[in-house]
Amino acid sequence: MSPQRLHLQHYSDRRFKVFEKMGLNSACIIPSATRLKRNGDAEYPFRQNSDFFYLSGWPEDQALLLLLHKEGRQKFVMFCHESDEHEARWVGRRIGLNGARHDFGALESHLIEQAEMLLPEMLSGIDKIYYPIGQDPQFDAMIHRVLSS
């Protein structure tokens, strides 16, 4: 088995274990860590959210992982940034939407900016939602808006 396939299988096995515990008609939403400013023009070294990394292997900030166990299907969806040539010059190339599917095994990938718009439909018919309550006030507010729509 190639190293890339082994990488995909490793995280897929972890997600499968979570799907088994979630039950039918449920969703798990986990945000990535955010970059933190140390002072005006410097950031602390980035460290990914452990739960997010454990289930995806994703090394970038500003992303959202969605596990949907709905209609008898298990679906891994990633919301992230697309690769941008201008940004790539300064901070490096992002994995992007295609990379989320091909290199990280997401069944679907969408722009992070579309998460709040797409989540209400994706979560329709869901009985249980698992997410890290109280860790990030902005994320909590977004989830509240999504569930209220």
Side-chain angles (χ1 to χ4, degrees), residues 37-125:
K37 289 250 185 216
R38 189 170 77 191
N39 55 36
D41 62 350
E43 296 175 340
Y44 285 104
F46 179 71
R47 183 184 183 284
Q48 187 58 277
N49 171 322
S50 296
D51 296 330
F52 185 89
F53 190 79
Y54 181 83
L55 294 173
S56 67
W58 192 265
E60 297 177 352
D61 65 326
Q62 297 180 333
L64 188 69
L65 174 144
L66 171 65
L67 301 179
L68 277 175
H69 199 194
K70 184 177 173 182
E71 300 166 353
R73 293 185 58 207
Q74 299 171 347
K75 188 190 273 188
F76 166 40
V77 180
M78 182 68 78
F79 291 90
C80 59
H81 281 287
E82 186 58 276
S83 189
D84 176 302
E85 290 303 318
H86 177 72
E87 183 184 29
R89 287 186 199 130
W90 297 100
V91 294
R93 186 174 303 280
R94 286 198 176 262
I95 295 165
L97 300 176
N98 286 334
R101 290 187 307 276
H102 298 292
D103 300 334
F104 287 84
L107 186 61
E108 290 180 24
S109 58
H110 303 279
L111 293 173
I112 188 69
E113 295 85 5
Q114 296 176 330
E116 197 167 333
M117 180 185 69
L118 296 175
L119 280 172
E121 183 179 332
M122 291 178 164
L123 297 177
S124 69

